[in-house]
Amino acid sequence: MLACTSSKNKIEVEKSEEVIVRVCLIRNSIQIYYSCPNPFVGLMDSDELSTCGNNLQKIPEGLLQDWMKNLPEQVKQLPLASLAIPGSHDSAAYYLDKKLPLHPFHHNLFVRTLTSLPFARGFARKWAITQNLTIKRQLEHGIRYFDFRVVVCPVTGNFRFCHALYGKEIGQDLEDIAQFAANHPQEVLLLDFNHLYGFANEEKFEQLITIVTSYFPGKIWSIEDSEKTKIETITISEILAKNRQILLFAKLLFNKTFPQVLPTKVLRSYWPNKNKKESVNQFNFNTLKSKDVNQMSVIQCIMTPRMENVISPRNRSLYRYEKKLMQDLPEWLDKTRSSGLKPNIIIADFIGENTFVANVIAYNER
């Protein structure tokens, strides 16, 4: 059932709580705003559902899907460390299965104990979901860096994405990434498997790498592709000239190395570990001023809740808790840009809720 409303300069079309589409007619041009099928149905309270998607990301149709292709040639020849690349935090935590228990390798004993109780898993899921778009939709929205956490399922031995709870098996999202790369041959994608849980032996780790690389035959950058020894000095133009599109990073367990796998430690990740918006923004602003511009780095625009935040009746979910941070993030990015500061990789939660991606890409115009 479609419901339409109109005003002098705007037409809105909404489809129940599943899909929100907004078409604005401004100065005789059409700008399309949209969100993915609402993943928060059953996850948030009814009052939150009524407003979810009101702050939607402006999507110039087709532009974000090929934003690297559309970069000026001189930007494509800059070292990777000098590019601004939008990414998502806990990228695959758009889906978590509350029917399954918490994965047993979570570092917090209290959380492991709490979520071993079936009735508590729904509560845990509200605080573990970090994205509102699937990997496929994130790619379409311009995300080019993916933060992946993988666990070995103790029961089946297969690999699943995770964030406290078990997520999907890794195959479908890897297939979506491979398909996107095939359809957009001038986009370079950074896949970072930086948290690996339950890998008891070297054989299991090798199995993961074999599975991941099998989805991208001939497309993964290798250290043998260039005489340059540091990935931060490689350019988009050099990567594409070798017919590569995937930069694969992983936490290298058991001192095992692979030509196609870059150690995740070459990406200097700055975690604020703050539970207030102002503290997160100040930490990241100071980091941008002091970080080594010649090193690849990850700035995390996320809040880390404390127990008092989780139990507060004002919050009820990570989405609600971070809502103000998400709303103000585009303005903060513009402020840092006007101050002459530039991130390398910058990640956030719920990347479909604002103009985050477009704001990050805009740094490359300087």
Side-chain angles (χ1 to χ4, degrees):
M1 174 71 74
L2 292 176
C4 301
T5 61
S6 64
S7 63
K8 184 177 180 180
N9 60 0
K10 180 169 66 177
I11 299 176
E12 292 187 357
V13 183
E14 297 188 2
K15 183 180 179 182
S16 66
E17 59 190 14
E18 295 179 357
V19 179
I20 304 174
V21 179
R22 181 173 300 163
V23 180
C24 295
L25 306 179
I26 303 175
R27 297 181 182 177
N28 299 320
S29 65
I30 298 179
Q31 298 176 336
I32 300 177
Y33 297 68
Y34 64 99
S35 73
C36 68
N38 196 327
F40 297 114
V41 176
L43 179 62
M44 298 195 303
D45 299 326
S46 58
D47 60 327
E48 293 177 277
L49 279 171
S50 65
T51 60
C52 178
N54 284 352
N55 190 26
L56 299 176
Q57 180 171 350
K58 175 178 162 183
I59 308 295
E61 195 166 12
L63 183 59
L64 293 183
Q65 294 188 36
D66 293 292
W67 69 264
M68 283 187 169
K69 172 186 175 181
N70 296 323
L71 289 173
E73 284 304 316
Q74 62 268 31
V75 176
K76 293 180 183 178
Q77 294 176 22
L78 292 174
L80 286 177
S82 298
L83 291 180
I85 301 172
S88 53
H89 170 247
D90 263 312
S91 306
Y94 64 88
Y95 171 84
L96 296 170
D97 194 340
K98 65 181 180 181
K99 295 179 181 179
L100 297 176
L102 182 89
H103 76 77
F105 308 102
H106 195 277
H107 66 276
N108 189 298
L109 177 61
F110 172 76
V111 174
R112 289 204 308 270
T113 303
L114 177 65
T115 52
S116 65
L117 306 172
F119 68 84
R121 292 173 197 159
F123 175 81
R125 182 172 177 265
K126 289 184 178 183
W127 286 92
I129 289 283
T130 60
Q131 296 301 330
N132 55 352
L133 300 179
T134 64
I135 297 299
K136 180 180 178 181
R137 295 299 300 274
Q138 290 178 43
L139 286 160
E140 294 169 348
H141 275 63
I143 292 298
R144 295 295 175 263
Y145 168 86
F146 294 87
D147 164 30
F148 286 139
R149 304 171 187 220
V150 175
V151 62
V152 179
C153 182
V155 178
T156 63
N158 60 7
F159 302 111
R160 287 179 175 265
F161 291 119
C162 66
H163 186 216
L165 295 166
Y166 288 104
K168 290 184 175 180
E169 293 186 18
I170 65 174
Q172 182 58 62
D173 284 328
L174 292 177
E175 178 61 37
D176 287 341
I177 294 171
Q179 188 62 54
F180 181 88
N183 293 337
H184 301 271
Q186 295 191 54
E187 299 301 297
V188 175
L189 312 176
L190 289 70
L191 313 183
D192 187 9
F193 292 79
N194 52 53
H195 286 67
L196 303 176
Y197 304 101
F199 289 80
N201 54 61
E202 186 175 317
E203 180 182 2
K204 205 65 182 175
F205 178 57
E206 290 181 351
Q207 183 184 354
L208 172 69
I209 299 302
T210 299
I211 290 173
V212 173
T213 55
S214 70
Y215 282 88
F216 312 103
K219 289 297 180 179
I220 303 176
W221 178 266
S222 168
I223 59 173
E224 300 169 352
D225 285 333
S226 174
E227 294 180 356
K228 294 180 180 179
T229 58
K230 294 185 177 181
I231 188 62
E232 55 265 35
T233 63
I234 304 297
T235 70
I236 289 179
S237 293
E238 289 175 289
I239 295 170
L240 296 177
K242 293 286 186 178
N243 198 32
R244 312 298 193 212
Q245 286 182 266
I246 306 296
L247 296 181
L248 179 58
F249 301 86
K251 183 177 181 181
L252 297 179
L253 305 179
F254 310 104
N255 295 315
K256 188 72 176 176
T257 60
F258 306 84
Q260 294 178 306
V261 182
L262 302 163
T264 193
K265 65 182 180 181
V266 302
L267 304 175
R268 175 70 186 276
S269 188
Y270 296 91
W271 176 36
N273 195 16
K274 309 289 185 184
N275 67 335
K276 294 181 179 179
K277 182 196 75 169
E278 295 77 13
S279 299
V280 168
N281 288 342
Q282 189 60 55
F283 175 91
N284 286 334
F285 190 82
N286 292 341
T287 298
L288 287 175
K289 289 195 297 184
S290 62
K291 75 179 184 71
D292 182 355
V293 296
N294 296 314
Q295 180 181 25
M296 293 191 72
S297 60
V298 181
I299 301 295
Q300 303 188 34
C301 296
I302 62 171
M303 291 163 62
T304 304
R306 307 296 191 260
M307 185 57 68
E308 63 266 24
N309 306 123
V310 174
I311 64 176
S312 170
R314 294 183 301 173
N315 295 324
R316 300 198 290 272
S317 68
L318 183 66
Y319 175 86
R320 187 180 179 96
Y321 171 63
E322 287 192 308
K323 195 169 186 178
K324 185 62 175 171
L325 177 71
M326 292 185 289
Q327 290 173 342
D328 295 347
L329 184 54
E331 181 181 351
W332 181 84
L333 290 169
D334 285 342
K335 177 183 176 182
T336 62
R337 184 168 170 246
S338 63
S339 299
L341 302 175
K342 183 180 180 180
N344 180 207
I345 300 165
I346 186 164
I347 64 176
D349 292 332
F350 308 106
I351 60 92
E353 284 296 302
N354 52 38
T355 58
F356 164 74
V357 172
N359 287 84
V360 174
I361 295 172
Y363 282 99
N364 295 306
E365 297 173 2
R366 295 186 64 87

